């Protein structure tokens, strides 16, 4: 069963507008972490933002914020004031506990295109 | 933070040969992972590299095909054995410096098998 779902294979946004990328997850662990990574065409994986399952407030990092709705098991990424350089693949990921340690599971990704 | 050096950055290989990818971290880390990213796809975990012991493989990946070494807390290798065109992917080394923190990634190895 897919643990991370990103329902938007592709998204378009006008430059300077805000955009929300969806992510839902599935876990029975009470303690977990949620991450967003950006992968531009160069292929590098860039960490954007983190939300812990016990965090009371939504995480923010500059133009990035995470809309965390625990009861709905969603962790949507909001990018404000989009820039052309934001065009990339965006992956939602979850850290889960395994018997031998921890594992990070990635969603299928959303390709964001910012239009001038 | 962690700076990861992954080599080679890309290679073109013949069917039936093997390629070893190296991952060097500038500091001791708790966890090291190897991921595969097939063209246009997401990241799939191959295995967790365990220091001084056998790697822990995910379903669908076996040691004979993807032998992994981790002799210390800063270095690991992944070998892609007896390659076929289906092995053409990006292979990514990633590390967790401390438990509960984010993953850092190497720059990846772009592998093409002819």
């Amino acid at each position: 069963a897919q643990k991370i779902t990103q329902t938007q294979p592709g998204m378009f946004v006008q430059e300077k507008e805000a955009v929300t990328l969806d992510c839902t997850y599935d876990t029975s662990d009470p303690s977990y972490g949620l991450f967003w990574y950006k992968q531009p065409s160069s292929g590098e994986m860039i960490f954007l933002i983190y939300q812990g399952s016990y965090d009371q407030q939504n995480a923010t990092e500059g133009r990035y914020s995470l809309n965390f709705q625990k009861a709905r098991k969603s962790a949507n990424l909001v990018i404000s004031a989009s820039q052309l350089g934001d065009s990339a693949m965006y992956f939602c990921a979850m850290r889960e506990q395994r018997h031998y340690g921890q594992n990070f599971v990635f969603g299928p990704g959303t390709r964001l295109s910012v239009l001038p | 933070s962690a700076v990861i050096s992954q080599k080679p950055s890309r290679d073109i290989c013949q069917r039936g040969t093997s390629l070893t990818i190296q991952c060097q971290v500038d500091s001791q880390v708790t966890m090291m992972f190897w991921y595969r990213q097939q063209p246009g796809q997401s990241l799939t975990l191959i295995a967790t590299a365990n220091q001084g012991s056998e790697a822990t493989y995910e379903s669908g990946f076996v040691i004979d095909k993807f032998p992994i070494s981790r002799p210390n807390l800063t270095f690991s290798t992944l070998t892609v054995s007896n390659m076929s065109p289906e092995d053409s992917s990006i292979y990514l080394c990633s590390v967790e410096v401390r438990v509960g923190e984010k993953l850092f990634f190497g720059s990846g190895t772009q592998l093409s098998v002819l």
Side-chain angles (χ1 to χ4, degrees):
Chain A
Q2 187 132 9
K3 294 197 172 187
I4 300 286
T5 303
Q6 295 179 252
T7 58
Q8 308 150 314
M11 287 281 286
F12 290 90
V13 64
Q14 208 68 40
E15 193 178 7
K16 299 179 184 177
E17 298 286 312
V19 63
T20 298
L21 306 184
D22 294 342
C23 173
T24 57
Y25 58 93
D26 181 27
T27 183
S28 55
D29 273 341
S31 177
Y32 52 89
L34 298 159
F35 303 78
W36 278 91
Y37 284 84
K38 171 184 177 181
Q39 188 178 44
S41 57
S42 59
E44 61 184 311
M45 291 289 287
I46 302 169
F47 166 78
L48 295 179
I49 197 166
Y50 165 77
Q51 181 85 41
S53 58
Y54 294 120
D55 293 344
Q56 295 295 315
Q57 293 189 321
N58 288 341
T60 61
E61 291 281 354
R63 294 187 299 113
Y64 305 107
S65 61
L66 202 151
N67 184 1
F68 181 46
Q69 297 187 45
K70 193 171 182 177
R72 297 180 59 184
K73 291 189 175 179
S74 76
N76 299 338
L77 176 70
V78 180
I79 305 175
S80 62
S82 298
Q83 302 172 356
L84 295 178
D86 294 335
S87 294
M89 282 292 290
Y90 288 79
F91 293 101
C92 180
M94 178 175 65
R95 182 184 64 236
E96 59 176 3
Q97 195 66 36
R98 297 284 193 89
H99 65 276
Y100 53 82
Q102 301 194 71
N103 179 28
F104 289 74
V105 179
F106 286 79
T110 295
R111 180 170 297 281
L112 176 66
S113 299
V114 180
L115 305 174
Chain B
S1 67
V3 176
I4 303 171
S5 172
Q6 187 173 337
K7 297 178 183 179
S9 58
R10 60 179 63 239
D11 208 340
I12 300 173
C13 301
Q14 295 295 321
R15 181 195 297 263
T17 62
S18 298
L19 176 71
T20 295
I21 303 168
Q22 297 183 357
C23 178
Q24 177 73 57
V25 192
D26 68 342
S27 59
Q28 294 185 347
V29 298
T30 54
M31 305 288 285
M32 295 184 79
F33 305 95
W34 287 98
Y35 283 87
R36 181 177 73 182
Q37 186 176 25
Q38 293 177 302
Q41 302 293 313
S42 184
L43 282 70
T44 301
L45 181 65
I46 297 172
T48 302
N50 300 309
Q51 191 259 328
S53 64
E54 193 171 288
T56 305
Y57 289 84
E58 296 298 306
S59 175
F61 297 96
V62 295
I63 187 171
D64 290 346
K65 177 66 176 177
F66 297 101
I68 288 171
S69 78
R70 187 180 175 190
N72 55 51
L73 292 175
T74 63
F75 184 77
S76 178
T77 66
L78 167 74
T79 298
V80 186
S81 303
N82 188 25
M83 287 183 285
S84 67
E86 292 72 34
D87 295 319
S88 297
S89 290
I90 297 173
Y91 292 85
L92 290 149
C93 170
S94 67
V95 305
E96 188 181 32
V97 177
R98 281 180 288 276
V99 174
E101 295 190 348
K102 65 187 179 187
L103 276 183
F104 294 88
F105 284 87
S107 54
T109 297
Q110 173 82 59
L111 172 61
S112 298
V113 184
L114 304 178

